[in-house]
Amino acid sequence: MAKILVTGGLGFIGSHTVVELQNEGFEVVIIDNLSNSSEDVLDRITSITGIKPLFEKLDLKEKSKVQSFFEKHSDIQGVIHFAASKAVGESVENPLLYYENNINTLVYVLQEMQQLETANFIFSSSCTVYGQADVMPITEDAPVKKAESPYGNTKQIGEEIIQDVCNINSDFNGIALRYFNPIGAHEGAKIGELPIGVPQNLVPFITQTAIGLREQLSVFGDDYPTHDGTCIRDYIHVVDLAKAHVVALQRLLVKKNTSNYETFNIGTGKGSSVLDVIKSFQKVSGQKLNYKIADRRAGDVIEAYANTEKANNILGWKSQSSLDDALASAWKWEQNIRKNS
Ligand code: UD1
């Protein structure tokens, strides 16, 4: 049973990935600094899988602690690296915080991994690296465009750093997964997304409006050149996304990778507009959503959805859940957390 480190393993995507890793029989060690997560997620994971993952509260910015952690766990056979800050607006306000949180920490983890016998690394990247791509659906060969925010830049720089390490070390294997828009929650609604403060992302804003925590959703722009004028994204169920990490890791562990640095788009391949999402949500929840059309939001691209052929054919992974399923799970989660809070 291989031992896998999941950094940021108590966060939204991290926690779902820990569950899928445990379901596949991996031993999981979680590092999290709890800056955007809570320790009770550990119990929630345990109640789903029946296995309590090892957990160390550790801030990856503390280099010496990262060193001691890896000395103690020198038998780690793979690392899935989620720990990072991810609020686009905050990154514009405080870029150095983002470079420190997302880049310094990545460097410290990679430095320690170079000492390991086997270095298998999965990086949490984003479709944001493509900016407004010229061709839809977006393939992995699409050019990486100038980042719209320091957050986006940390994903681009992160990928470059890993690539540079792979270039000089043929024993170092990296895969960058470029996520499209992760939404939804685990089926039993024991884990899900817990945004702090006012949600910036569409789906948590929708569910919080429907439950009465927010007055009204603003749809940012209805004059885009799309079928209904609102922006198009590729919304992927977080459980499907979590499974992609397990498949990518297994590819490295059994040495199936054809190059020691690979990138894959992880999306559904289907684009949905903001109004499509609202319609789907209303259908699956039976709730009438209070929304209005507002001005465009600065920095939004018109459309972004994935060509998933590379992930389908090479990773052997395909998303399974529909938009309806994902939104139904997000709604169940929202109702569940409010009931218990
Ligand atoms: C955003 C980030 C992206 C990050 C991702 C993480 C930007 C520009 N991009 O993606 O880098 O990886 O989150 O999940 O911030 N919308 C509304 N009303 C709202 C909120 C959103 O109409 O209250 C619309 C947006 O205009 C957009 C769509 O919903 O068209 C999705 O927005 P969001 O969930 O914030 O994701 P992205 O902007 O695609």
Side-chain angles (χ1 to χ4, degrees):
M1 187 168 48
K3 188 177 187 179
I4 307 301
L5 167 63
V6 182
T7 73
L10 297 182
F12 174 41
I13 307 170
S15 58
H16 287 82
T17 302
V18 170
V19 167
E20 297 308 320
L21 285 168
Q22 290 188 320
N23 285 344
E24 289 297 311
F26 289 102
E27 183 189 356
V28 178
V29 190
I30 295 173
I31 286 181
D32 202 300
N33 68 358
L34 303 179
S35 64
N36 196 14
S37 59
S38 117
E39 203 169 335
D40 68 56
V41 174
L42 206 57
D43 298 329
R44 292 165 172 269
I45 292 171
T46 313
S47 78
I48 296 171
T49 62
I51 308 159
K52 189 162 187 163
L54 294 176
F55 168 61
E56 287 216 21
K57 180 172 183 283
L58 197 155
D59 193 325
L60 294 174
K61 290 199 291 292
E62 296 186 60
K63 190 177 159 90
S64 61
K65 293 201 175 152
V66 179
Q67 275 169 335
S68 343
F69 174 88
F70 274 90
E71 274 160 26
K72 198 162 97 192
H73 297 279
S74 57
D75 54 341
I76 281 173
Q77 292 182 40
V79 176
I80 306 184
H81 183 56
F82 293 105
S85 299
K86 60 161 193 169
V88 175
E90 184 187 46
S91 80
V92 175
E93 302 289 316
N94 197 345
L96 293 179
L97 178 77
Y98 271 66
Y99 291 115
E100 184 182 32
N101 282 354
N102 296 7
I103 302 296
N104 289 14
T105 55
L106 171 67
V107 170
Y108 298 160
V109 171
L110 294 176
Q111 280 172 334
E112 296 312 313
M113 285 187 72
Q114 284 207 300
Q115 322 292 326
L116 298 178
E117 218 163 278
T118 32
N120 296 312
F121 189 74
I122 309 293
F123 181 59
S124 172
S125 189
S126 166
C127 67
T128 193
V129 302
Y130 300 118
Q132 178 57 72
D134 302 320
V135 181
M136 288 298 137
I138 304 172
T139 64
E140 289 80 357
D141 301 331
V144 166
K145 297 238 174 111
K146 186 173 165 16
E148 292 272 355
S149 67
Y151 160 76
N153 209 19
T154 65
K155 293 298 173 192
Q156 295 189 2
I157 297 169
E159 286 198 15
E160 286 171 3
I161 291 172
I162 298 159
Q163 212 168 346
D164 288 342
V165 172
C166 291
N167 277 340
I168 49 119
N169 183 350
S170 58
D171 291 328
F172 196 104
N173 297 288
I175 291 182
L177 298 180
R178 293 173 174 165
Y179 318 152
F180 282 68
N181 290 54
I183 61 165
H186 200 259
E187 54 173 0
K190 286 184 171 157
I191 52 172
E193 192 172 6
L194 264 183
I196 291 173
V198 181
Q200 304 300 309
N201 294 116
L202 178 63
V203 171
F205 206 105
I206 288 178
T207 57
Q208 288 197 8
T209 305
I211 206 113
L213 276 179
R214 310 278 154 216
E215 172 80 28
Q216 189 177 46
L217 170 79
S218 292
V219 173
F220 296 140
D222 71 344
D223 56 353
Y224 285 100
T226 62
H227 66 271
D228 59 20
T230 63
C231 291
I232 291 180
R233 297 288 182 273
D234 183 338
Y235 295 92
I236 174 159
H237 196 304
V238 65
V239 173
D240 283 331
L241 173 60
K243 288 179 177 163
H245 291 79
V246 179
V247 173
L249 179 75
Q250 280 162 335
R251 177 175 173 80
L252 298 185
L253 290 172
V254 299
K255 304 189 190 310
K256 277 253 186 73
N257 49 327
T258 46
S259 143
N260 70 331
Y261 177 74
E262 297 176 318
T263 55
F264 294 96
N265 284 342
I266 304 296
T268 65
K270 187 173 174 289
S272 305
S273 72
V274 178
L275 293 178
D276 291 335
V277 174
I278 293 173
K279 269 186 222 134
S280 167
F281 175 78
Q282 295 191 138
K283 183 177 76 182
V284 298
S285 67
Q287 302 289 312
K288 178 133 184 41
L289 192 75
N290 182 19
Y291 70 90
K292 63 164 189 205
I293 306 298
D295 289 345
R296 290 182 177 196
R297 177 173 73 177
D300 271 341
V301 296
I302 303 164
E303 56 179 353
Y305 55 97
N307 178 316
T308 59
E309 273 173 35
K310 192 175 171 196
N312 299 163
N313 299 335
I314 298 179
L315 274 187
W317 168 92
K318 203 174 187 343
S319 78
Q320 302 295 326
S321 297
S322 64
L323 180 63
D324 285 356
D325 298 336
L327 289 168
S329 71
W331 178 231
K332 189 173 169 189
W333 163 248
E334 185 72 60
Q335 291 172 290
N336 199 34
I337 42 175
R338 300 310 155 196
K339 194 172 67 201
N340 297 329
S341 64

